[in-house]
Amino acid sequence: MNADFSRVLSLLRQEKGISQRKAAAALGISQALLSHYENGIREPGLNFVTRACNYYHVSADYLLGRSLSRDGTVIEAGELPDASEAREDLKGSVAAKLQKKLLVNTTSVLFDLLGRTNNREAASWAGAYLGGALYQLFRQLYRAAGGNEGYFSTDSLGFDLDIVASDMALSRLRFARALDAYRGAYPPVDAQALAEEYQALSQSLAQVLHEADERVRKLEG
């Protein structure tokens, strides 16, 4: 089993904030055996992997280091439409599923790269910026579906006058400043390095970036 398994297994336990003893008891093994798994000394069987996935609420692909998404979302090459194809061909749930995979995979690459810099501030502001975008879209859908806007603390006037966009602009500024202040080394981000490191995920990233580039180019033209 690859080294990613032991690393992810240990990180999930630490993220949960529990001791090896407590995790081992919940997983039905001894603390010594769990320690061996987390340190890569021994390899577990399928039964343990299944129990660990259920306990930490992650997919086997994530636990085994095959996916950066906890639900195991990985877009296959055959699922990516050619950039020149008309997107109108994608209807309803199929289009929604594709967009979900594209964005989940792209976000996974972004935050993995940020995580490798250990730049906590940059990661936090990136999350705030993307969270603002999701807030805007979800609230618009919530409104269209007839939801009671009293659910939100920001009143409808503030929302309509783009106060969330202002928050996003500030988050982006702070993200840029966090990167500017960073003095450590960055992981390689050229196309070849991304393809080698992230495989199918890098295809999603390329698709999202290309489509955004095309939209902006048309606006400029």
Side-chain angles (χ1 to χ4, degrees), residues 2 119 145 181:
N2 61 41
N119 191 333

Side-chain angles (χ1 to χ4, degrees), residues 207-208 210-221:
Q207 182 88 16
V208 169
H210 174 77
E211 291 187 358
D213 261 346
E214 286 296 297
R215 292 193 303 271
V216 172
R217 183 183 60 80
K218 289 177 182 178
L219 283 176
E220 290 178 336

Side-chain angles (χ1 to χ4, degrees), residues 6 11-12 24 26 39 41 47 52 61 77 86 118 123-124 134 160 162 165 195 198:
S6 56
L11 287 173
L12 286 171
N39 288 292
I41 298 172
N47 286 339
D61 279 340
N118 288 317
S124 294
L134 293 171
D160 290 337
D162 284 338
Y198 298 105

Side-chain angles (χ1 to χ4, degrees), residues 68-85:
L68 295 174
S69 174
R70 294 188 180 220
D71 66 0
T73 303
V74 175
I75 194 164
E76 302 295 337
E79 294 181 273
L80 287 171
D82 186 88
S84 62
E85 291 180 4

Side-chain angles (χ1 to χ4, degrees), residues 41-135:
I41 298 172
R42 293 185 59 180
E43 293 187 355
L46 180 59
N47 286 339
F48 174 81
V49 172
T50 301
R51 290 199 303 274
C53 288
N54 292 335
Y55 182 61
Y56 291 118
H57 304 293
V58 296
S59 70
D61 279 340
Y62 180 84
L63 185 59
L64 297 175
R66 297 183 65 248
S67 170
L68 295 174
S69 174
R70 294 188 180 220
D71 66 0
T73 303
V74 175
I75 194 164
E76 302 295 337
E79 294 181 273
L80 287 171
D82 186 88
S84 62
E85 291 180 4
R87 299 308 293 271
E88 288 75 16
D89 290 342
L90 300 171
K91 303 294 185 180
S93 61
V94 176
K97 180 181 178 182
L98 174 63
Q99 291 302 322
K100 174 188 173 182
K101 284 190 173 184
L102 286 171
L103 294 176
V104 166
N105 291 349
T106 299
T107 303
S108 293
V109 174
L110 172 66
F111 281 97
D112 184 72
L113 291 170
L114 288 172
R116 288 163 65 183
T117 68
N118 288 317
N119 191 333
R120 180 178 178 180
E121 188 176 1
S124 294
W125 289 118
Y129 179 85
L130 293 175
L134 293 171
Y135 175 94

